[in-house]
Amino acid sequence: EAQVTQNPRYLITVTGKKLTVTCSQNMNHEYMSWYRQDPGLGLRQIYYSMNVEVTDKGDVPEGYKVSRKEKRNFPLILESPSPNQTSLYFCASSTPRDGGGYTFGSGTRLTVV
Amino acid sequence: DQQVKQNSPSLSVQEGRISILNCDYTNSMFDYFLWYKKYPAEGPTFLISISSIKDKNEDGRFTVFLNKSAKHLSLHIVPSQPGDSAVYFCAAAYSGAGSYQLTFGKGTKLSVIP
């Protein structure tokens, strides 16, 4: 089954403790992206990657890092999480052959206390 | 500056009637538009899209209309069903940069009343 898999689904952590949210896709997609969803703000892009070793900032990159060492994986790293990063995070992937329609993962609900 | 706007946070429609969800955009470089549907506790799922070279695209009960001069698009759902109750996101992309970077609106919550 074609899918984007994120882990974990839920995470509660403390301020300053480094964490990684993993994302993997099995569709051989070139593009991958991370979004966060907050009430009243919709979906905002954090980082995106057009292919292996090619990453760039989205609209809200502060406090986040990403890497794209393999085509299928695109982890999101929070080096020193803060409470304002409490949010619902989505990973997504796409290919130009699909006309731009991103496939999203099921989401990771992160709470930073 | 919000480039994609969904001005109605919510919409209620009777089952069997038409649902019309609206979206406006400000960036004239956008040339590809998409609608996503999102249920609680799930990721958004792609619904329908339209290229700027068209003014209408239809897929079953879902039709998207694009008015480039007004920088406006709309999603029509006919007939509406209770299972259509979800949050709908409009998204726009500029393909000229070599990638499809999606800019999303804030979403409209549709409630279809049985």
Side-chain angles (χ1 to χ4, degrees):
Chain A
E1 181 190 351
Q3 59 185 359
V4 176
T5 303
Q6 295 178 230
N7 280 298
R9 289 293 307 273
Y10 302 92
L11 178 60
I12 301 175
T13 190
V14 296
T15 299
K17 185 176 181 182
K18 181 179 178 179
L19 66 91
T20 300
V21 183
T22 64
C23 174
S24 181
Q25 50 95 3
N26 62 1
M27 296 165 281
N28 201 36
H29 282 171
E30 292 86 354
Y31 304 148
M32 295 188 75
S33 188
W34 277 102
Y35 291 86
R36 61 179 288 175
Q37 184 188 7
D38 301 290
L41 296 177
L43 289 158
R44 295 180 295 168
Q45 191 178 53
I46 303 170
Y47 268 94
Y48 65 94
S49 169
M50 293 172 63
N51 216 321
V52 176
E53 301 291 1
V54 181
T55 63
D56 210 344
K57 297 177 181 178
D59 299 318
V60 287
E62 294 79 19
Y64 304 95
K65 285 175 58 178
V66 293
S67 68
R68 188 93 182 271
K69 293 183 170 56
E70 307 163 282
K71 198 171 187 179
R72 63 182 292 126
N73 295 323
F74 191 45
L76 179 70
I77 303 156
L78 284 72
E79 294 270 2
S80 182
S82 62
N84 64 11
Q85 292 179 297
T86 293
S87 187
L88 180 57
Y89 292 87
F90 291 101
C91 180
S93 72
S94 179
T95 174
R97 295 181 296 277
D98 286 348
Y102 273 83
T103 300
F104 281 81
S106 299
T108 296
R109 184 165 291 282
L110 172 66
T111 302
V112 184
V113 298
Chain B
D1 180 30
Q2 204 180 342
Q3 298 187 69
V4 178
K5 300 177 185 178
Q6 294 177 258
N7 292 321
S8 299
S10 62
L11 175 68
S12 289
V13 172
Q14 207 72 28
E15 181 179 3
R17 307 293 289 268
I18 182 171
S19 295
I20 300 176
L21 295 95
N22 294 304
C23 178
D24 296 295
Y25 62 96
T26 57
N27 189 340
S28 56
M29 299 293 285
F30 289 143
D31 58 1
Y32 199 76
F33 305 90
L34 308 92
W35 284 95
Y36 281 81
K37 175 178 174 180
K38 186 183 180 302
Y39 293 118
E42 293 183 14
T45 55
F46 172 69
L47 198 55
I48 192 170
S49 64
I50 187 167
S51 163
S52 60
I53 63 172
K54 295 184 176 181
D55 54 17
K56 177 182 174 181
N57 189 26
E58 195 170 355
D59 184 2
R61 296 186 296 114
F62 302 90
T63 303
V64 56
F65 295 92
L66 175 62
N67 182 334
K68 288 188 293 292
S69 60
K71 294 192 178 68
H72 177 83
L73 64 154
S74 60
L75 174 68
H76 293 210
I77 306 174
V78 184
S80 301
Q81 300 173 354
D84 295 329
S85 297
V87 176
Y88 289 80
F89 290 98
C90 170
Y94 166 53
S95 59
S99 69
Y100 287 101
Q101 295 309 305
L102 299 184
T103 300
F104 284 86
K106 294 183 179 181
T108 297
K109 183 176 182 179
L110 174 65
S111 300
V112 180
I113 305 159

